[in-house]
């Protein structure tokens, strides 16, 4: 099981360590630093490293490496999932998961880690339970505490800890009972070179798959028992559920039936395979070329909306990692602003909203280092966008019923389609 | 804000604050102490002061003090004792939270003295009315076991823990399983998690109700269960399947493991089998949308799953396409899986992708992508032409490492599809000068040699390589040698000088035995029989197989049982890398109902490698000369005359230097009279035969498992073997060879396996042995190194034979002779041994021993003890004299052995032991 945890920042300082069994010397991290040096890029550090006596399993989140030390055979996914849970909890408690936030709240961090893991076994990882055990820091509370002398550690047994619904605490009370859900759909796609060049309808075999998730926000008193049905549940190819969902009812009736956690959570993630996918909401026309022996090139990109059911495509941002040989870029954009960082060679074009009448275009000259050979590779375009009030898969919530409580909650649904990892090859 | 006080007297200041009367100040001080501790500062000096703060009703302060205690108790064990009373008191607290906290903390204090005090409170907590306390106590047993395993066993905590598996609360069950699994890992033999249908049922019920982490523990535990039939397997699968929809990827993967394992038991005709296959794909794909670290582990596992059951993901190729900003470790894994999934149906798509990748920036990735194109060509024949043209396009880019990789893979394509794509050779030759990596150079040289007749300037090209012969790596040197010999055989008239040059470079100026030996072989071949040389060197090469990097089926089956663990990430069984490898038990897939499979036993064979001199099959029958190094038979290089090849003797002087002199000649060693060979004349007897043991486990021999024993019957020794084919392909062409050994044991007849051995088939063979083979003293003396060859490979193992198979039938010495010899042998040569726990009487002993050719010459009774005087003779004529003292009241016998070659005494004693005790 998990033996120890080290938190390491990007400059290679170990700024926090926690041991659940015997103490493991910091020097074990040297193997990690070695791997980090070899990987050059921080993202490329392999997540599982073996050392003569231990295994190091690490994740990289928010510029911090969470490095755990393992001594026996253990499922690595278990460790990685747990580390992400730790990072999530820090985010939840301190508003951000950063070195400063962790250092400022080091005692709470330590208390949290102690509650989350016992002898390497996860103990309490549900945010509801943790918050009952250890109150998150707020300015107000620290003032109140210093006056009344009370502490930020709860002294009752957390109610959820042993019930059949560990994700929900008992005795929740709100004056306004509300249930909001956001259906957020993310499109993961690689658009092939040829498809983009010919500006034809994107052939769907280059679209990978679309990942979706529903985020729910509940403020409901008592223990409400909800059931949610979709107009077209067959669309959902593959689902992974929050533990609160009763699997049997989904299997038999395709209805989501559950007692929700309190607050913000991800109820369900689902995936629609590319076969079922109707359309990609944007298209990109591009012309990026480098001339032989002239140390310059042309760059011309246009983004346009496509089959989006009358909804506006907004929040469009394009980022491109230009080849190393590129010195600078002289571009003009018909809309939005662009920046080019000559050090990292990243071109960012913040387009904003797309109006179909006047398509945004960015074009101009690329200057290469003199004497450098013509770059072999053409950069991929990374596109982000957002469409409000549209679920690209066509998924629609039918109705939400509540049982077990008497009040009538306020209900609201919001649909958003976003680009996930959306790449256009050139 | 806790890091501001870094002044000199920090510790002193904290001390004062800790002893303050004000609660608030105390708490702040403890917080500061903890803050220093987290960053690794030593604040152990404050131990007594912090412990003094423990007696408080403030829960937060208590927790903080506990945190501190856990960290420093080890370095201050005497002080830690002070805390014990408070712990014991807290374990009785009305608040279950405090009881649990106390028992949890106590387990984390790794001090022997304290653990004694822990037992009573722990026993209470294990039976606590509150499940929260019980589940915490369950984990505490695992902690305690880690500190003092004996104590846990003595106190009976393990039984209490087993009882908790039937607890009413699912969380308690999960923790009990987790604790037992951890304890079981350090005691692989102990049968802690004894699973039966009842307990499985309980676990499956708890599975639905416990936390995600508990589900992982339970699923991993379920995976170790062996269902009794396919119905039970199916019902477990049905109840595990819902876990595939869990949001926690570790739960999903553990569920996949259980399903993959139990699926093995289901019949493929079952409807349910098909349903299950379909259900496995979506969750695996979903794992790939997670964070890169999770993706990596998932991909490593998918790699195994795709090899075991390719049908699961065959339609999901697209999800493995690489995004340009994937981390490199994800990219490489995706690529690997893409090739495994490549088929005629999707090859166009795959090739287009691979070509895209070959223009990326990351060098490692580009190399692998180019290689992948070659592998596609070899795997899917229809695509070969497109692959070749893609590779040519890539060569045109002139990017150095792309060109080199392309040439290496084109060589393989030539091997697979001979005489098809030679038109591209011209293009390849253009890039000769840019090659600087040995592998690429070797590949190019191979191509030039292989197609020498079509390349006009082949001799010039090869000659240019020859200039720097000594600076090349061995790989290139070997290839160059072969290529020039090929060239010579194809164009003998023009290249005589060249071949002479390379042969003398290889044989006279090189220290590398491989190179030298290959050089000699060619030299000798060319000089004795050019026609035979042509047959050998230009022989038709065996086709290269489709996928060379597949994991061995037996290993794959084992790894499938380890899905989701570190073993699956490394693609090695845990025994290969887990610290100390505490006799990890091999896991194996359950057999499909109806067939039975014997359990694998841990292997004891030692890999011998080059210590063996091989003579397996004549070398002329078309061995792979080109790409692999020549397998050299024990040809006596000095035996034949080294006539010159060209008839006129034009400069092919016989090399007389540096010929390995030890081939075949028996080494004289200190064994002296061991070498007096006298064959034994047989009388009727049947000596004791040990049960068969596994000599060569299937994992080490690409699926061939060999078990066996030795026997001696009617004067002849035989080796009784069972060959089992555990691989997926048919095995044939068996041959066996022994290394020289102490007593000259050698097969008296070739290994006869009449029909090829089909997968999962076994064959029993009795191989007659003689003792006229060449002799070399081994350590241990009875060590026998064996090489077995089949159509797949050559495998080595070693085994110890019992000495009594060498006891000859005429080993009975005359009484007078015995007395004389006994006196004659100096006393230093006498060795004494104890044979313990043998309850036979003197007569039974003597008749039992006689069965194995140990003859009793005289029996005497001295002061109530029976003295047996015995003699035996080994196959090589060594006499061993023995005196066996048997006391009626004492089950221990005393054995005195006298022999001119005292080295054999311990082995004779071993033989006595085995015979008497069986």
């Amino acid at each position: 099981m998990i033996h120890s945890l080290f938190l390491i920042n990007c400059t290679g300082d170990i700024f926090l360590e926690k041991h659940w069994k015997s103490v493991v010397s910091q020097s074990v991290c040297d193997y990690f630093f070695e791997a980090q040096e070899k990987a050059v890029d921080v993202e490329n550090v392999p997540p599982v490293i073996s050392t003569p006596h231990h295994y190091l399993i690490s994740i990289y989140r928010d510029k911090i490496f969470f490095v755990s030390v393992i001594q026996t055979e253990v499922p690595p996914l278990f460790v990685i999932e747990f580390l992400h849970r730790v990072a999530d909890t820090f985010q939840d408690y301190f508003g951000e998961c950063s070195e400063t936030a962790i250092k400022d709240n080091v005692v709470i961090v330590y208390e949290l880690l102690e509650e989350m893991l016992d002898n390497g076994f996860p103990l309490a990882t549900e945010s509801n339970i943790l918050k009952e055990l250890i109150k998150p820091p707020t300015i107000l509370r620290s003032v109140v505490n210093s006056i009344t002398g009370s502490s930020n550690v709860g002294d009752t047994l957390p109610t959820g800890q042993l019930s059949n619904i560990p994700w929900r605490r008992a005795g929740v009370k709100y004056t306004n009972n509300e249930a909001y859900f956001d259906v957020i759909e993310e499109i993961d796609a690689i658009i092939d070179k040829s498809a983009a060049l010919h500006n034809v309808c994107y052939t769907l075999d280059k679209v990978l798959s679309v990942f979706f998730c529903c985020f729910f926000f509940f403020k409901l008193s008592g223990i409400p028992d909800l059931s949610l049905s979709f107009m077209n549940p067959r669309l959902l190819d593959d689902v992974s559920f929050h533990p609160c969902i009763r699997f049997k009812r989904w299997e038999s009736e395709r209805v989501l039936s559950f007692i929700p956690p309190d607050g913000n959570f991800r109820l369900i993630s689902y995936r629609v395979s590319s076969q079922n996918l109707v359309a990609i909401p944007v298209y990109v026309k591009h012309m990026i070329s480098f001339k032989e022996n002239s140390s310059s090139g042309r760059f011309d990109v246009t983004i346009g909306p496509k089959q989006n059911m009358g909804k506006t495509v907004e929040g469009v941002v394009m980022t491109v990692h230009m080849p190393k040989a590129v010195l600078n870029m002289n571009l003009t954009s018909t809309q939005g602003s662009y920046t080019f960082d000559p050090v990292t060679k990243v071109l960012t074009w913040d387009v904003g909203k797309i109006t179909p009448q006047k398509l945004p275009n960015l074009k101009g000259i690329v200057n290469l280092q003199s004497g450098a050979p013509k770059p072999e590779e053409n950069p991929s375009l990374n596109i982000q966008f957002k469409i409000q009030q549209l679920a690209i898969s066509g998924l629609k919530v039918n109705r939400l019923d509540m049982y077990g409580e008497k009040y009538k909650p306020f209900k609201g649904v919001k649909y958003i389609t976003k680009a996930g990892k959306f790449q256009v090859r050139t | 804000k806790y890091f501001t006080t870094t002044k000199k007297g920090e510790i002193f200041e904290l001390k004062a604050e800790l002893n303050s009367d004000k609660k608030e100040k105390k708490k702040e001080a403890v917080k500061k102490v903890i803050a220093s501790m987290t960053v690794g500062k030593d604040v152990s000096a404050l131990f007594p002061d912090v412990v003094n703060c423990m007696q408080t009703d403030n829960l937060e302060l208590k927790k903080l003090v506990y945190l501190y205690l856990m960290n420093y108790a080890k370095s201050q064990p005497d002080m830690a004792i002070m805390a014990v009373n408070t712990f014991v008191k807290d374990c009785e607290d009305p608040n279950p939270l405090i009881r649990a906290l106390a028992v949890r903390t106590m387990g984390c204090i790794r001090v022997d003295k304290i653990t004694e005090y822990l037992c009573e409170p722990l026993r209470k907590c294990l039976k606590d009315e509150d499940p929260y306390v019980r589940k915490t106590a369950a984990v505490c047993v695992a902690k305690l076991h880690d500190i003092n395993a004996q104590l846990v066993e003595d106190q009976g905590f393990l039984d209490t823990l087993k009882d908790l598996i039937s607890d009413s609360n699912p969380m308690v069950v999960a923790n009990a399983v987790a604790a037992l699994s951890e304890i079981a890992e350090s005691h692989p033999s102990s049968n802690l998690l004894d699973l039966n249908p009842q307990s499985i049922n309980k676990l499956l019920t708890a599975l639905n109700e416990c936390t995600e982490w508990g589900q992982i523990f339970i699923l991993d535990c379920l995976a170790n269960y062996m269902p009794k039939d396919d119905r039970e397997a199916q019902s477990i699968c049905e109840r595990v399947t819902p876990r595939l929809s869990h949001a926690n990827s570790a739960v999903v993967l553990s569920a996949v493991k259980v399903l993959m394992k139990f699926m093995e038991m289901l019949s493929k005709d079952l409807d349910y089998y098909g349903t299950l296959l379909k259900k496995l794909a979506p969750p695996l794909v979903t794992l790939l949308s997670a964070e890169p670290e999770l993706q990596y582990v998932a991909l490593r596992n998918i790699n195994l799953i795709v090899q075991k059951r390719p049908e699961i993901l065959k339609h999901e190729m697209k999800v493995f396409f690489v995004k340009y900003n994937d981390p490199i470790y994800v990219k490489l894994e995706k690529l690997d899986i893409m090739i495994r999934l490549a088929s005629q149906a999707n090859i166009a798509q795959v090739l287009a992708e691979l070509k895209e990748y070959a223009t990326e920036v990351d060098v490692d990735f580009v190399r692998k992508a180019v290689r992948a194109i070659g592998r596609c060509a070899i795997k899917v024949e229809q695509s070969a032409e497109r692959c070749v043209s893609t590779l040519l396009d890539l060569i045109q880019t002139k990017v150095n490492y792309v060109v080199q990789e392309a040439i290496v893979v084109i060589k393989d394509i030539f091997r697979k599809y001979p005489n098809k794509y030679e038109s591209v050779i011209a293009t390849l030759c253009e890039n000769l000068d840019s090659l600087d990596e040995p592998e690429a150079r070797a590949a190019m040289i191979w191509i030039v040699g292989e197609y020498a007749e079509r390349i006009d300037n082949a001799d010039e090209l090869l000659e240019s390589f020859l200039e720097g012969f000594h600076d090349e790596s061995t790989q290139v040197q070997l290839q160059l040698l072969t290529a020039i010999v090929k060239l010579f055989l194809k164009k003998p008239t023009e290249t005589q000088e060249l071949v002479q040059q390379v042969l003398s470079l290889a044989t006279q100026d090189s220290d590398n035995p491989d190179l030298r030996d290959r050089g000699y072989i060619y030299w000798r071949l060319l000089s004795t029989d050019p026609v035979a040389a042509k047959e050998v060197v230009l022989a038709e090469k065996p086709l290269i197989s489709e996928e060379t990097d597949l994991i061995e089926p037996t290993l794959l089956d084992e790894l499938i049982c380890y899905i989701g663990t570190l073993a699956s990430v490394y693609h090695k069984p845990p025994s290969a890398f887990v610290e100390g490898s505490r006799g990890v038990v091999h896991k194996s897939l359950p057999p499909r109902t109806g067939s039975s499979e014997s359990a694998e036993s841990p292997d004891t064979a030692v890999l011998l490698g080059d210590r063996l001199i091989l003579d397996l099959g004549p070398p002329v029958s078309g061995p792979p000369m080109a790409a692999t190094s020549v397998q050299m038979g024990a040809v006596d290089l000095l035996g034949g005359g080294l006539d010159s090849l060209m008839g006129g003797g034009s400069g092919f002087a016989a090399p007389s230097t540096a010929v390995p002199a030890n081939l075949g000649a028996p080494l004289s060693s200190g064994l002296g009279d061991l070498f007096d060979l006298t064959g034994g004349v047989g009388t009727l007897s049947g000596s004791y035969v040990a049960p068969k043991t596994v000599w060569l486990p299937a994992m080490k021999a690409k699926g061939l498992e060999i078990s066996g024993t030795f026997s001696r019957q009617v004067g002849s020794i035989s080796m009784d073997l069972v060959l089992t084919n555990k691989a997926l392909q048919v095995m044939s062409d068996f041959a066996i060879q022994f290394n020289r050994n102490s007593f000259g044991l050698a097969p008296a007849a070739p290994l006869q396996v009449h029909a090829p051995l089909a997968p999962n088939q076994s064959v029993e063979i009795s191989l007659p042995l003689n003792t006229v083979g060449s002799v070399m003293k081994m350590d241990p003396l009875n060590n026998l190194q064996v090489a077995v060859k089949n159509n797949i490979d050559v495998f080595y193992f070693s085994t110890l034979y019992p000495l009594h198979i060498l006891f000859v039938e005429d080993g009975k010495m005359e009484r007078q002779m015995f007395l004389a010899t006994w006196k004659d042998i100096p006393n230093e040569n006498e060795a004494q041994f104890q044979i313990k726990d043998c309850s036979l009487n003197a007569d039974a002993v003597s008749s039992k021993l006689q069965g194995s050719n140990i003859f009793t010459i005289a029996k005497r009774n001295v002061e109530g003890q029976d003295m047996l005087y015995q003699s035996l003779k080994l196959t090589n004529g060594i006499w061993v004299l023995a005196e066996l003292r048997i006391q009626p009241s004492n089950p221990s016998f005393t054995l005195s052995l006298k022999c001119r070659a005292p080295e054999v005494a311990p082995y004779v004693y071993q033989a006595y032991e085995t015979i008497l005790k069986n």
Side-chain angles (χ1 to χ4, degrees), chain B residues 241-382:
Chain B
T241 319
R243 295 303 119 208
L244 293 175
S245 300
H246 202 284
N248 186 320
S249 59
V251 175
V252 174
L253 205 56
S254 289
V256 169
K257 164 163 63 185
V258 175
L259 295 175
M260 283 293 288
K261 198 175 166 189
F262 290 0
M263 229 170 146
E264 199 69 14
M265 290 185 73
L266 302 177
S267 149
K268 286 195 173 162
D269 317 321
L270 225 59
D271 286 347
Y272 182 70
Y273 182 85
T275 323
L276 200 54
L277 272 186
K278 270 194 213 108
K279 279 191 176 165
L280 277 170
L284 290 174
V285 172
T286 301
L287 288 180
L288 299 181
S289 62
E291 287 83 358
E293 299 92 359
L294 294 168
Q295 278 187 49
Y296 170 73
V297 177
L299 284 165
R300 289 297 283 174
N301 281 287
I302 289 173
N303 201 327
L304 293 174
I305 294 168
V306 161
Q307 288 184 57
K308 181 75 190 165
R309 299 196 182 281
E311 62 271 31
I312 293 177
L313 285 166
K314 65 179 174 205
H315 298 303
E316 303 289 350
M317 173 64 90
K318 269 181 279 172
V319 293
F320 298 104
F321 285 177
V322 173
K323 301 194 181 70
Y324 81 92
N325 48 3
D326 280 335
I328 181 74
Y329 54 81
V330 169
K331 283 182 177 174
L332 295 176
E333 289 307 317
K334 280 187 174 174
L335 198 55
D336 223 36
I337 295 169
M338 278 173 69
I339 300 162
R340 294 205 195 288
L341 287 175
S343 66
Q344 206 185 331
N346 56 22
I347 193 75
Q349 216 177 19
V350 175
L351 264 185
E353 279 296 303
L354 292 176
K355 197 176 172 190
E356 192 72 39
Y357 304 158
T359 60
E360 278 230 19
V361 216
D362 198 315
V363 178
D364 285 341
F365 181 57
V366 171
R367 280 173 182 276
K368 195 154 181 178
V370 176
R371 245 167 225 238
I373 297 177
R375 276 170 66 186
C376 282
I378 289 163
K379 197 174 169 193
V380 186
E381 188 166 358
Q382 292 79 358

Side-chain angles (χ1 to χ4, degrees), chain A residues 239-253:
Chain A
V239 282
S240 50
F241 293 132
H242 189 275
C244 68
I245 289 179
R246 298 182 183 105
F247 191 76
K248 284 227 169 83
R249 280 203 65 193
W250 169 256
E251 284 265 277
S252 54
E253 301 166 48

Side-chain angles (χ1 to χ4, degrees), chain A residues 1 15-18 21-23 43-50 52-53 55 58-60 72-78 80-82 84-85 103-104 106-107 110-111 114-115 118-119 121-123 125-126 133 149-158 161-163 188 190 193 204-208 211 238-241 243 247 271 274 321 324 376-377 380 382 421 423 425, chain B residues 1-3 24 27 31 34-35 37-40 59-60 63-64 67 70-71 95-97 104 110 130-132 135-136 139 142-143 169 171 178-179 182 185 212-213 216-217 220 242 245-250 253 282-283 285-286 289 291 293-297 318 321-325 327-329 349 353 356-357 359 361 397 399 564-567 569-570 574 577 579 582:
Chain A
M1 294 296 117
F15 64 91
L16 191 114
E17 59 182 293
K18 164 82 188 145
K21 293 188 174 182
S22 50
V23 176
E43 276 94 7
N44 286 340
V45 182
V48 184
I49 299 168
S50 77
H53 301 289
Y55 296 90
S58 62
I59 64 161
Y60 180 66
T72 49
E73 173 68 88
V74 62
L77 277 187
F78 162 98
I80 294 172
E81 279 278 358
F82 178 80
H84 277 294
R85 211 59 64 85
K103 278 186 172 170
D104 283 350
V106 69
V107 174
Y110 225 52
E111 285 173 336
E114 191 55 39
E115 285 302 333
D118 178 22
N119 194 40
F121 300 116
L123 196 60
T125 50
E126 288 286 341
L133 286 167
S150 69
S151 73
N152 64 343
V153 171
D155 57 359
T156 50
L157 185 60
Q161 192 82 295
L162 281 163
S163 70
D188 256 23
I190 299 173
K193 192 187 286 183
L204 289 181
D205 41 278
K206 276 293 164 169
V207 179
L208 295 184
F211 290 102
D238 175 32
V239 282
S240 50
F241 293 132
F247 191 76
R271 191 169 55 84
S274 45
H321 280 262
K324 280 209 182 69
E376 276 307 319
E377 79 276 6
S380 287
N382 214 6
K421 290 168 186 156
Q423 299 181 357
R425 290 191 185 146
Chain B
K1 56 193 160 158
Y2 297 112
F3 291 101
E24 229 7 72
K27 200 164 89 186
K31 280 191 177 178
I34 303 281
M37 189 175 84
T38 45
V39 288
L59 190 60
E60 187 185 16
K63 277 191 171 183
L64 290 173
L67 271 180
M70 282 184 238
N71 218 358
N95 183 345
L97 195 59
R104 204 172 105 199
R110 309 176 60 87
D130 194 306
Y132 182 68
K135 82 171 194 160
T136 315
V139 174
K143 294 179 192 171
N169 185 295
M171 255 74 107
E182 191 177 81
E185 201 175 329
E212 47 197 309
W213 313 110
I216 300 171
F217 297 133
D220 284 346
S245 300
H246 202 284
N248 186 320
S249 59
L253 205 56
V285 172
T286 301
S289 62
E291 287 83 358
E293 299 92 359
L294 294 168
Q295 278 187 49
Y296 170 73
V297 177
K318 269 181 279 172
F321 285 177
V322 173
K323 301 194 181 70
Y324 81 92
N325 48 3
I328 181 74
Y329 54 81
Q349 216 177 19
E353 279 296 303
E356 192 72 39
Y357 304 158
T359 60
V361 216
T397 61
V399 179
T565 65
L566 277 172
V569 173
Y570 288 107
F577 66 90
E579 171 88 343
R582 296 172 284 200

Side-chain angles (χ1 to χ4, degrees), chain B residues 784-799:
Chain B
L784 181 65
Q785 300 177 339
V786 182
V788 169
K789 189 202 87 151
N790 62 11
N791 58 327
I792 298 167
D793 206 346
V794 181
F795 312 104
Y796 307 94
F797 63 90
S798 78
T799 177

Side-chain angles (χ1 to χ4, degrees), chain B residues 99-114:
Chain B
R99 292 204 297 276
L101 183 65
V103 78
R104 204 172 105 199
T105 314
M106 283 167 84
C108 294
I109 296 177
R110 309 176 60 87
V111 178
D112 277 336
K113 282 183 197 161
I114 290 194

Side-chain angles (χ1 to χ4, degrees), chain B residues 376-568:
Chain B
C376 282
I378 289 163
K379 197 174 169 193
V380 186
E381 188 166 358
Q382 292 79 358
S383 73
E385 193 154 346
R386 279 166 81 167
C387 294
V388 171
S389 73
T390 309
L391 287 170
L392 282 181
D393 287 351
L394 291 173
I395 288 177
Q396 298 304 344
T397 61
K398 303 274 177 203
V399 179
N400 187 280
Y401 52 86
V402 175
V403 174
Q404 308 213 36
E405 286 299 325
I407 286 183
V408 172
V409 297
I410 285 181
K411 183 200 84 179
D412 287 342
I413 296 177
F414 282 172
R415 280 288 304 275
K416 173 83 183 178
Y417 310 107
N419 306 317
K420 224 167 160 186
Y421 301 109
E422 283 70 24
S423 50
V424 306
I425 290 176
T427 325
L428 302 185
C429 289
E430 285 164 23
N431 292 288
L432 209 63
D433 299 334
S434 64
L435 308 178
D436 51 14
E437 288 160 25
E439 208 183 347
R441 286 173 81 87
M444 193 64 219
I445 291 169
W446 183 87
I447 292 172
V448 174
E450 189 64 22
Y451 297 100
E453 67 273 30
R454 311 194 188 187
I455 306 170
D456 295 336
N457 59 345
D459 50 343
E460 280 169 40
L461 292 176
L462 291 177
E463 198 168 3
S464 69
F465 281 106
L466 207 55
E467 280 159 22
F469 189 77
H470 288 296
D471 302 328
E472 300 282 4
S473 71
T474 314
Q475 194 184 8
V476 181
Q477 290 177 334
L478 287 169
Q479 210 55 260
L480 196 53
L481 173 60
T482 307
I484 290 179
V485 172
K486 281 184 195 165
L487 173 71
F488 170 69
L489 289 168
K490 287 174 179 172
K491 304 179 180 173
T493 42
E494 306 130 58
T495 53
Q496 199 177 325
E497 204 171 315
L498 196 61
V499 78
Q500 259 176 326
Q501 203 181 339
V502 77
L503 284 177
S504 72
L505 276 172
T507 53
Q508 280 160 18
D509 300 347
S510 168
D511 299 331
N512 185 322
D514 276 353
L515 185 63
R516 213 173 50 205
D517 291 355
R518 196 190 282 197
Y520 279 129
I521 290 268
Y522 284 145
W523 200 318
R524 176 132 167 69
L525 264 174
L526 293 175
S527 59
T528 42
D529 189 352
V531 183
K534 212 161 183 165
E535 262 170 35
V536 171
V537 179
L538 302 181
E540 202 163 306
K541 280 159 281 295
L543 285 185
I544 54 174
S545 64
E546 269 180 29
E547 278 173 277
T548 46
D549 59 339
L550 281 180
I551 297 176
E552 274 303 308
T554 29
L555 177 60
L556 182 62
D557 281 355
E558 192 182 354
L559 287 176
I560 289 289
C561 303
Y562 288 108
I563 283 178
T565 65
L566 277 172
S568 70

Side-chain angles (χ1 to χ4, degrees), chain B residues 172-189:
Chain B
V172 179
V173 177
N175 273 15
V177 168
L180 280 172
S181 307
E182 191 177 81
I183 295 173
E185 201 175 329
S186 53
H187 287 269
S189 52

